[in-house]
Amino acid sequence: MRAVWLERQKLFPRDDLPPPRMDDGEALLRVRLAGICGTDLQLLRGYYPYAGIPGHEFVGEVVEASDESWIGRRVVGDINVACGQCPACRSDRARHCERRSVLGIRDRAGAFAEYLTLPLDNLHRVPDNVPDEAAVFAEPLAAALEIQEQTPIHPGDRVLVVGAGRLGQLIAQTLALTGCDLRVVARHSRQREILALSGISTVMESEVASRQFDIVVEASGSPTGFELARRAVRPQGTLILKSTYAGELTLNLSSLVVDELTLVGSRCGPIDAALRLLGKQAVDPAPLIECRYPLSAALAAFEHAARPGVLKVLLEP
């Protein structure tokens, strides 16, 4: 099997790997498209000591499963595989299972390969009217929707998104559906142009007023972005963190206490809700696609994805 291998913060092309072995209750999927995201780039920088096949944004086709009704279906998947028995699982917090594996991130081979495996319970059927090029965004779109699962956002709320990259664009599109008073910090002209297609207002960093926003979402993945987000949120406001960082941030905890801020970490979200939005075309990820590379050119694809301002780079096994 052809795949991309990550080890010691280096990528290696591989064509000598066996297809993954299914465990009970799992399905074997042929990957149709996979997307490179910020977390993949952070893994390459040492965010988490993962060795194996990276990649967790994908759309695939079931080629083998114990339940034959799944065979031939186009699917996307929840990336967290829970044990079902630990206290977190028993408390309906399976996403934070103490023994979980995470596709392409922790103890489970990922999507930058010709095949992958996931439990049937993790799979979601892709609606017929959603093309692969949209379905591959289901996982990051779900992560964007998780913000609204955690924090009520009302029409008129002053909301700022710091970062207009791969995830920031999807966050902005989903927040715009709430009717909030939304602004997005976007450094690059193409980012601003794409947001303008959805009628979303953008600002430059120098234009962000201090302590004026009810809710601020940090999606830049940079310490300077975090500092801007922290400065922008008003007292008793909410700061939502969507970035994973390689390394550490400097944070004045006393200021959080004095300003009585709510700090929310936000990760994965509801895949079904993401697919419904894609099916209704309420969110359009197509303008975010920068380019497509064959899996054999994955190293070049990663180099491309790491350039400033680049949006979604897809791999096509």
Side-chain angles (χ1 to χ4, degrees), residues 201-317:
S201 298
T202 60
V203 294
M204 302 299 290
E205 295 174 36
S206 60
E207 299 171 323
V208 175
S210 298
R211 301 164 67 87
Q212 294 299 311
F213 290 89
D214 303 305
I215 299 164
V216 179
V217 182
E218 202 299 288
S220 73
S222 72
T224 56
F226 174 84
E227 181 57 34
L228 177 65
R230 167 64 191 93
R231 179 168 56 82
V233 66
R234 65 161 173 82
Q236 294 189 321
T238 300
L239 177 57
I240 300 171
L241 305 181
K242 291 299 295 189
S243 297
T244 52
Y245 301 90
E248 298 181 355
L249 287 173
T250 299
L251 174 62
N252 182 350
L253 293 176
S254 295
S255 71
L256 300 185
V257 175
V258 171
D259 285 345
E260 297 184 315
L261 297 187
T262 298
L263 190 64
V264 179
S266 185
R267 191 165 54 97
C268 301
I271 298 277
D272 281 341
L275 289 173
R276 285 194 295 272
L277 279 185
L278 292 171
K280 294 188 298 184
Q281 298 181 337
V283 170
D284 180 16
L288 305 184
I289 298 175
E290 189 90 19
C291 57
R292 297 161 69 135
Y293 283 80
L295 186 61
S296 59
L299 301 189
F302 263 79
E303 290 178 1
H304 193 154
R307 298 173 195 165
V310 168
L311 295 172
K312 187 61 65 180
V313 174
L314 300 179
L315 287 173
E316 192 170 22

Side-chain angles (χ1 to χ4, degrees), residues 167-222:
L167 182 56
Q169 293 277 339
L170 297 174
I171 291 170
Q173 287 196 46
T174 55
L175 291 178
L177 299 175
T178 70
C180 68
D181 181 7
L182 177 64
R183 299 290 184 274
V184 180
V185 177
R187 285 184 170 182
H188 301 279
S189 59
R190 184 156 177 266
Q191 294 173 344
R192 295 191 289 272
E193 290 167 2
I194 293 172
L195 290 165
L197 294 174
S198 299
I200 297 171
S201 298
T202 60
V203 294
M204 302 299 290
E205 295 174 36
S206 60
E207 299 171 323
V208 175
S210 298
R211 301 164 67 87
Q212 294 299 311
F213 290 89
D214 303 305
I215 299 164
V216 179
V217 182
E218 202 299 288
S220 73
S222 72

Side-chain angles (χ1 to χ4, degrees), residues 30-31 74 134 214 304:
R30 181 177 65 83
V31 179
R74 284 191 310 137
D214 303 305
H304 193 154

